[in-house]
């Protein structure tokens, strides 16, 4: 069964002057264990699609089923619970808590899941080790590099063992060498741990790490299929 | 859930130390002021109540005087119109428990090489009932001492200390204005009277002895005032009328003529004084509470700034699964922790301030557990009340917009 299933998803934004049709009918199925890149020019609706996929926003019309739940029918509190249990977020700007240690940062989703303190800390340390940051548990985010910070963010996204990890321009603030390292980490997590990954990017060499490409244009899916051969990984 | 959030609140405060300190200062001053003002109010109230208690209850003061002399009206006590016989007649009125005619004055008291200036009251045994005097040592004088004008004295404890040091004064001789008196009793400490006199630095002697051998008097048998103790508050009003009628009769004052004495209901005067101090205490507390509210508004102000500054953080928290009530609690706890820490320091400041006032002035502030609890409770309530609006604002943010906030 597909972990993500969008059927005829529409999204309108109504301003005083006009109604904007940002998504005009999206049908998309993503199976567990897939590694999907979403691309599209500015204004194509990829941020809106990402917000809907991330349960931060709900469709105006159509059905979005995430891990069996119909998202449109849930209230704020249930959406928060769904984000907490089934989704992991990785942002362009890392978005770590500046005052908290790396361990506490990684453990934060578990706080909201109600996991006990000892259990939280253990799982956070394990996760930090998995992204290559063992020994940094008590450091603060401003002590480490951007690439390391993004690894912490990935650890935080994975700590709750979510069904899907959503990464919005995860390499946007990183140089190309570090970008490649982050994408390698994603690729390894997908291959070895079976993590379902959706990466939004506007760079072909980042998208090239994925196994499937979804191309958006003007609120519709223009292309959905394997990575085109002209996309080259930046290794 | 609450545990990690309190940690977050403390971390947030530590990250902005200067700001947290200034915010707390409002609460510190507010709570400190409330505790200090209530302590001062309570101190004044207590001293008034103690004076009332030491004076005795259900008390009348009959003062001689207010006569006319060739058209010039004299003040109370200026003419010796009350006599010991008047006092005895008052004693016979129904409802009177005791009367104490008194002739007060000052005198130099000498014991061997030591001498001390003090106040001397000539009175009758009724005085000890009227003023509810308890004895530390020895005993009061009795009616036979008054009749015989014997040279016996009851002295206050601080005078005893001054004259005899630690030794027992019972049976010792003191000279009051040259006349020798035998000390037969020492009172228990009574503190200050309502008009500020030290009631422990006194010599009490039979009124007859005082008039004949210590002060002398214009009219033999006359006294300056008579204290009258009634059996209960319910007879006070009737008794006042009865006493006035009796004395007008005895002094042969005709209808239309002014009294040459005045009867004062001391209990009602004292109660008025007590309710005045209670009102003053309330007023002090109310003024201090305003500063608490100002402190609360300071907290709200800072929390609103904090919510705006941390909009992005709120967005991230919501994205990774914080429910609205988690965010609400986070900010609410932060303002509660701010106000409680401020309050703790405020309690210390308030208690310290009360001590400083006690050292620097005549006032005796009393910090009660009640006022500390009140300050604490109000501060916690203010933390919740003024923290709620900013926390609500944080919790009602839309996650997408919060995440996009720069």
């Amino acid at each position: 069964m597909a972990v993500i299933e969008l059927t005829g998803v529409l999204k309108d934004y109504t301003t005083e002057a006009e109604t904007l049709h940002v998504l005009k009918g999206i049908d998309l199925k993503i199976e567990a264990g897939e590694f999907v890149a979403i691309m599209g020019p500015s204004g194509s609706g990829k941020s809106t699609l990402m917000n809907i996929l991330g349960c931060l926003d709900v469709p105006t019309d159509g059905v979005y089923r995430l891990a069996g739940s119909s998202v449109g029918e849930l209230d704020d509190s249930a959406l928060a619970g769904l984000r907490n249990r089934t989704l992991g977020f990785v942002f362009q700007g890392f978005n770590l808590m500046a005052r908290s240690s790396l361990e506490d940062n990684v453990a934060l989703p578990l706080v909201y899941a109600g996991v006990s303190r000892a259990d939280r800390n253990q799982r956070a340390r394990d996760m930090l080790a998995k992204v290559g940051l063992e020994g940094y548990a008590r450091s603060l985010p401003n002590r480490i590099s951007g690439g390391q910070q993004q690894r912490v963010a990935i650890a935080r996204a994975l700590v709750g063992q979510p069904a899907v990890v959503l990464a919005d321009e995860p390499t946007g603030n990183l140089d190309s060498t570090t970008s490649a390292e982050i994408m390698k980490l994603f690729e390894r997590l997908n291959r070895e741990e079976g993590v379902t990954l959706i990466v939004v990017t506007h760079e072909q060499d980042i998208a090239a790490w994925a196994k499937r490409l979804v191309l958006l244009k003007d609120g519709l899916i223009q292309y959905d299929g394997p990575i085109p051969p002209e996309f080259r990984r930046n290794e | 859930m609450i545990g990690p959030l309190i940690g977050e609140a403390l971390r947030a405060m530590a990250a902005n130390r200067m700001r947290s300190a200034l915010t707390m200062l409002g609460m510190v001053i507010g709570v400190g002021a409330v505790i200090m003002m209530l302590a001062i109010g309570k101190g004044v109230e207590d001293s008034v109540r103690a004076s009332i208690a030491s004076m005795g209850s259900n008390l009348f003061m009959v003062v001689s005087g207010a006569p006319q002399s060739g058209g010039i009206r004299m003040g109370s006590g200026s003419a010796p119109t009350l006599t010991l016989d008047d006092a005895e007649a008052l004693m016979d009125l129904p409802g009177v428990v005791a009367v104490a005619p008194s002739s007060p004055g000052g005198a130099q008291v000498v014991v061997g090489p030591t001498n001390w200036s003090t106040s001397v009251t000539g009175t009758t045994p009724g005085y000890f009932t009227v003023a509810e005097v308890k004895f530390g040592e020895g005993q009061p004088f009795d009616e036979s001492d008054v009749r015989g004008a014997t040279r016996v004295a009851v002295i206050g404890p601080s005078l005893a200390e001054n004259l005899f040091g630690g030794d027992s004064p019972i049976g010792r001789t003191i000279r009051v204005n040259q006349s020798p008196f035998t000390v037969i009793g020492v009172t228990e400490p009574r503190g200050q009277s309502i008009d500020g006199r030290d009631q422990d630095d006194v010599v009490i002697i039979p009124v007859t002895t005082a008039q004949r051998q210590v002060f002398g008097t214009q009219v033999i048998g006359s006294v300056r005032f008579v204290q009258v103790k009634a059996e209960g508050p319910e007879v006070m009003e009737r008794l006042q009328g009865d006493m006035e009628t009796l004395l007008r009769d005895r002094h042969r004052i005709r209808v239309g003529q002014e009294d040459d004495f005045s009867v004062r209901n001391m209990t009602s005067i004292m109660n008025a004084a007590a309710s005045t101090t209670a009102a003053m205490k309330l007023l002090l507390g109310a003024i201090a509470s305003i500063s608490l509210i100002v402190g609360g508004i300071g907290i709200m102000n800072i929390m609103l700034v904090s919510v705006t500054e941390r909009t992005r953080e709120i967005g991230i928290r919501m994205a990774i699964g914080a429910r609205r009530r988690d965010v609400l609690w986070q900010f609410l706890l932060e303002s509660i922790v701010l106000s409680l820490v401020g309050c703790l320091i405020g309690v210390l400041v308030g208690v310290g301030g009360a001590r400083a006032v006690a050292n620097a002035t005549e006032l005796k502030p009393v910090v009660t557990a009640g006022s500390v609890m009140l300050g604490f409770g109000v501060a916690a309530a203010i933390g919740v009340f003024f923290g709620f609006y900013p926390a609500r604002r944080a919790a009602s943010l839309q996650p997408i917009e919060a995440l996009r906030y720069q």
Side-chain angles (χ1 to χ4, degrees):
Chain A
M1 201 187 105
V3 65
I4 284 177
E5 192 174 353
L6 287 84
T7 317
V9 165
L10 300 178
K11 184 69 189 179
D12 300 337
Y13 285 109
T14 308
T15 62
E16 279 174 25
E18 54 182 345
T19 300
L20 284 173
H21 303 287
V22 181
L23 296 180
K24 298 171 185 167
I26 303 284
D27 297 301
L28 182 66
K29 258 190 195 180
I30 294 170
E31 305 290 333
E34 278 201 84
F35 186 177
V36 182
I38 297 178
M39 292 189 78
S42 304
S44 62
K46 66 181 188 305
S47 298
T48 305
L49 180 59
M50 197 65 174
N51 286 339
I52 288 176
L53 289 176
C55 298
L56 296 166
D57 207 349
V58 289
T60 313
D61 199 6
V63 177
Y64 170 29
R65 297 184 74 82
L66 171 64
S69 311
S70 184
V71 172
E73 291 159 13
L74 302 176
D75 62 10
D76 275 354
S77 179
L79 282 178
L82 195 61
R83 285 196 293 270
N84 186 243
R85 287 188 313 274
T86 54
L87 293 172
F89 287 87
V90 179
F91 304 93
Q92 178 174 356
F94 320 139
N95 284 347
L96 300 177
M97 302 289 145
R99 293 185 299 267
S100 303
S101 69
L102 300 189
E103 182 182 60
D104 287 347
N105 262 288
V106 173
L108 195 55
L110 302 178
V111 170
Y112 294 117
V115 175
S116 77
R117 184 178 184 83
D119 204 6
R120 283 203 306 264
N121 291 350
Q122 187 54 48
R123 282 166 72 177
R125 278 165 195 274
D126 291 349
M127 219 55 236
L128 278 170
K130 206 167 269 182
V131 298
L133 284 171
E134 56 264 87
Y136 286 83
R138 301 312 306 165
S139 305
L140 288 175
N142 59 6
R143 296 278 171 206
I144 59 176
S145 71
Q148 287 170 318
Q149 288 189 44
Q150 195 61 303
R151 284 168 187 274
V152 176
I154 292 168
R156 181 178 67 187
L158 289 169
V159 75
Q161 293 168 324
V164 180
V165 171
L166 296 170
D168 191 358
E169 301 277 7
T171 59
N173 286 6
L174 301 173
D175 61 51
S176 50
T177 316
T178 319
S179 297
E181 280 170 14
I182 292 295
M183 292 317 291
K184 255 181 227 163
L185 175 61
F186 273 136
E187 199 266 342
R188 179 166 64 80
L189 290 168
N190 174 250
R191 181 164 37 83
E192 290 176 4
E193 317 261 334
V195 177
T196 312
L197 275 170
I198 300 174
V199 176
V200 171
T201 182
H202 61 274
E203 289 172 279
Q204 292 188 353
D205 54 0
I206 298 299
W209 289 90
K211 293 177 191 154
R212 176 180 167 191
L213 175 69
V214 172
L215 191 63
L216 279 184
K217 197 173 182 194
D218 297 331
L220 288 169
I221 293 178
Q222 200 184 34
Y223 171 88
D224 184 356
I227 304 293
E230 68 270 24
F231 282 25
R232 295 249 180 273
R233 293 178 179 181
N234 62 335
E235 284 182 87
Chain B
M1 194 68 247
I2 300 288
L5 285 181
I6 288 176
E8 288 281 336
L10 291 173
R11 260 204 296 270
M13 282 169 60
N16 272 312
R17 256 175 225 138
M18 187 68 179
R19 184 198 284 181
S20 305
L22 286 174
T23 311
M24 278 192 285
L25 192 61
M27 290 311 290
V28 170
I29 292 172
V31 172
V34 166
I35 289 176
M36 216 167 118
M37 290 300 148
L38 288 181
I40 290 172
K42 178 87 169 106
V44 173
E45 201 178 19
D46 282 357
S47 78
V48 169
R49 289 202 186 285
S51 302
I52 294 169
S54 76
M55 193 185 68
S57 51
N58 304 323
L59 204 61
F60 286 104
M61 183 90 141
V62 185
V63 184
S64 68
Q68 281 184 302
S69 167
I72 299 164
R73 299 176 69 205
M74 316 294 269
S76 290
S78 55
T81 57
L82 286 172
T83 62
L84 290 172
D85 293 341
D86 285 337
E88 260 169 55
L90 287 170
M91 186 64 211
D92 294 336
L93 284 174
V96 172
V97 175
V99 295
S102 294
S103 280
Q108 203 71 14
V109 180
V110 181
V111 175
T114 317
N115 75 93
W116 188 257
S117 179
T118 185
S119 64
V120 177
T121 300
T123 187
T124 62
Y127 175 83
F128 302 109
T129 310
V130 167
E132 293 173 11
V133 178
K134 292 186 184 68
F135 279 79
E137 265 187 280
Q139 61 199 39
F141 50 78
D142 57 24
E143 287 297 339
S144 64
D145 291 310
V146 175
R147 275 196 303 277
T150 57
R151 292 180 184 173
V152 292
V154 169
I155 63 177
S158 55
L159 179 65
E161 174 71 28
N162 275 320
L163 294 176
F164 298 103
D167 300 343
S168 171
I170 303 297
R172 303 276 295 268
T173 300
I174 58 175
R175 290 181 163 274
V176 180
N177 281 5
Q178 314 304 328
S179 311
F181 282 81
T182 306
V183 178
I184 58 164
V186 181
T187 69
E188 276 191 356
R190 289 194 289 159
Q192 282 193 341
S193 72
I194 194 75
D195 54 6
R197 279 177 301 118
D198 183 355
Q199 299 182 95
D200 298 331
D201 184 11
V202 290
V203 179
I204 303 160
I205 56 177
V207 61
T208 43
T209 324
Q211 290 179 341
R212 285 172 209 166
Q213 295 172 26
V214 182
F215 304 137
T217 179
Q218 293 165 272
V219 181
I220 286 292
S222 79
V223 291
R224 188 86 61 78
F225 56 84
V226 181
Q227 285 160 289
V228 180
K229 186 179 172 67
E231 64 187 18
E234 65 283 352
V235 302
M236 293 293 278
E237 204 175 322
R238 173 186 56 77
L239 202 53
Q240 178 150 13
D242 288 356
M243 282 163 47
E244 279 164 3
T245 313
L246 177 81
L247 288 173
R248 282 177 74 90
D249 203 36
R250 287 179 59 84
H251 292 190
R252 298 193 177 80
I253 296 165
R254 289 188 298 275
V255 177
Q257 244 182 328
E258 271 194 63
D259 294 346
D260 62 356
F261 61 91
S262 59
V263 178
R264 298 172 194 163
N265 183 334
M266 296 312 282
T267 306
S268 67
I269 291 171
M270 288 308 110
N271 285 344
S275 62
T276 305
T277 52
M280 186 195 77
K281 190 174 102 171
L282 202 67
L283 188 70
L284 287 173
I287 291 170
S289 312
I290 291 173
S291 57
L292 257 184
I293 292 173
V294 173
I297 293 172
I299 287 184
M300 176 150 82
N301 192 9
I302 287 301
M303 290 311 294
L304 281 173
V305 171
S306 176
V307 167
T308 307
E309 268 186 3
R310 288 155 69 188
T311 299
R312 199 176 168 76
E313 177 196 319
I314 295 164
I316 299 161
R317 285 176 183 276
M318 285 177 158
I320 64 177
R323 286 156 300 182
R324 295 196 183 280
R325 69 160 181 270
D326 296 328
V327 176
L328 184 86
W329 269 109
Q330 181 187 341
F331 283 89
L332 204 52
L333 274 173
E334 202 170 314
S335 57
I336 292 173
V337 168
L338 262 179
S339 59
L340 282 186
V341 174
C343 182
L344 268 175
I345 302 171
V347 168
L348 298 179
V349 168
V351 172
R355 286 250 171 86
V357 168
N359 289 339
T361 68
E362 294 282 292
L363 289 169
K364 296 274 170 283
V366 181
V367 179
T368 59
S371 71
V372 173
M373 305 270 271
L374 182 78
F376 229 96
V378 170
I382 279 176
V384 173
F385 183 80
F386 288 100
F388 192 72
Y389 174 67
R392 259 283 298 281
R393 210 149 121 165
S396 63
L397 286 169
Q398 290 303 318
I400 311 174
E401 274 141 46
L403 273 172
R404 214 178 287 148
Y405 187 87
Q406 291 303 320

